[in-house]
Amino acid sequence: MGDNLEQIYRNLLTEIGENPSREGLLLTPGRAAEAMRYLTRGYSMDLREVLNDAFFEATGDGMVIVRNVEYFSLCEHHLLPFFGRVHVGYIPREKIIGLSKIGRVVDVFARRLQVQERMTTQIAEAIDYAIRPEGVAVVAEGRHLCMMARGIEKQHSSVMTSHVIGVFRDDSATRNEFLSLIRRDPDE
């Protein structure tokens, strides 16, 4: 993948009218290939390895929420970045998951060519599969360069997506508690 990806970027520079041999662009194909591999590293991440058995016995039935998990992804339609925050909540049944693992689960799915709607669902389903909680709720907020820098060019637009499973789907009070908590100012 290494040399071939670099050649693809070299060809891309030529196709847009640039000279990949000029001083400022000599190293660009290699840098761009390295950046693409980094931005799409989710394809080489295995969810089981990422979670690494970081499960612990649940000691209560309260809601666990991890807010403001930053993510960066690439739109599969335009190969342009989109980025934002993910909020994850779940109600344990028998197990809880290590808190840092939530961020790693987000990366598994964000670091691929993606659409925000699918990414949100994949994160929720992965957590549901891993620990079988009473329910999972995921809300993702994103800013998409494909909307901001091209097309309709709406720089202040953002996209929100959600996916709820179990008690978050079935019980509006539980869902509303989650939504209220992720909107709360942490300094309150």
Side-chain angles (χ1 to χ4, degrees):
M1 181 159 113
D3 291 337
N4 190 33
L5 193 53
E6 286 182 39
Q7 185 58 47
I8 289 168
Y9 279 108
R10 198 169 286 106
N11 292 343
L12 177 72
L13 290 170
T14 301
E15 286 296 317
I16 65 170
E18 265 294 352
N19 175 4
S21 298
R22 77 172 170 85
E23 182 183 2
L25 294 177
L26 282 174
L27 300 177
T28 297
R31 289 182 189 127
E34 184 179 331
M36 182 59 78
R37 282 192 283 283
Y38 184 81
L39 292 171
T40 59
R41 73 184 187 275
Y43 290 118
S44 63
M45 298 171 83
D46 181 279
L47 188 60
R48 288 178 296 272
E49 288 179 23
V50 165
L51 293 174
N52 195 23
D53 295 324
F55 309 116
F56 309 97
E57 185 178 319
T59 57
D61 61 358
M63 194 177 298
V64 177
I65 298 174
V66 180
R67 294 182 349 159
N68 298 322
V69 178
E70 294 110 353
Y71 74 87
F72 297 89
S73 193
L74 288 174
C75 166
E76 69 181 34
H77 300 134
H78 304 100
L79 300 183
L80 290 172
F82 69 96
F83 55 93
R85 304 178 296 176
V86 173
H87 313 286
V88 176
Y90 70 91
I91 297 178
R93 188 182 313 258
E94 296 173 4
K95 295 179 183 177
I96 57 174
I97 187 171
L99 296 175
S100 69
K101 299 301 182 180
I102 301 285
R104 295 189 193 282
V105 169
V106 170
D107 281 346
V108 166
F109 298 108
R111 295 303 186 152
R112 301 174 182 203
L113 299 183
Q114 194 58 279
V115 295
Q116 184 176 319
E117 298 89 338
R118 181 185 323 116
M119 179 189 76
T120 304
T121 299
Q122 289 171 328
I123 293 165
E125 289 178 348
I127 293 168
D128 185 55
Y129 176 79
I131 60 172
R132 297 290 181 211
E134 296 290 331
V136 180
V138 176
V139 171
E141 304 172 33
R143 297 183 51 117
H144 295 246
L145 263 64
C146 57
M147 284 182 63
M148 298 167 65
R150 58 158 304 281
I152 63 172
E153 296 186 42
K154 301 301 179 200
Q155 287 78 28
H156 301 289
S157 64
S158 64
V159 176
M160 294 191 75
T161 53
S162 68
H163 190 78
V164 292
I165 299 172
V167 69
F168 290 96
R169 178 180 297 279
D170 301 335
D171 182 359
S172 62
T174 302
R175 184 172 53 252
N176 289 336
E177 177 184 356
F178 169 73
L179 294 172
S180 170
L181 289 169
I182 66 170
R183 285 188 286 249
R184 179 173 285 158
D185 182 347
D187 296 327
E188 287 182 355

